[in-house]
Amino acid sequence: MLQAIINYHLDDEQHWVAELVCGHNQHVRHRPPWERRDWVTSVSGRQSMLGYMLYCKQCELKVTESQSSV
């Protein structure tokens, strides 16, 4: 399920975490060559991605669980 980024914070290991509109959080690490997220390394880059839709696995799991209990 896609959810919009509304804010960011740093975790205990100083990795950036996107705060999603649904209330869940998702790491947005820049770890080349596996994950290329240059935008996360600067304030302007992070601001430019506010509103960007990220896949929220936690929301998807809730939907799947509620459908399987019907």
Side-chain angles (χ1 to χ4, degrees):
M1 179 173 289
L2 294 175
Q3 300 289 348
I5 298 173
I6 58 170
N7 206 356
Y8 303 93
H9 68 268
L10 288 169
D11 69 7
D12 295 339
E13 297 176 5
Q14 302 303 297
H15 294 134
W16 285 105
V17 178
E19 299 171 12
L20 305 178
V21 70
C22 60
H24 296 126
N25 296 316
Q26 181 174 319
H27 279 94
V28 286
R29 295 181 181 100
H30 176 60
R31 298 184 300 189
W34 299 280
E35 295 172 306
R36 293 211 43 96
R37 294 184 178 134
D38 298 321
W39 56 268
V40 80
T41 62
S42 70
V43 172
S44 61
R46 290 187 298 277
Q47 287 176 342
S48 74
M49 295 299 283
L50 290 174
Y52 183 80
M53 305 296 276
L54 285 180
Y55 177 74
C56 181
K57 189 171 183 175
Q58 291 175 306
C59 283
E60 192 68 35
L61 289 172
K62 283 185 180 182
V63 169
T64 304
E65 289 171 1
S66 67
Q67 289 175 348
S68 66
S69 66
V70 174

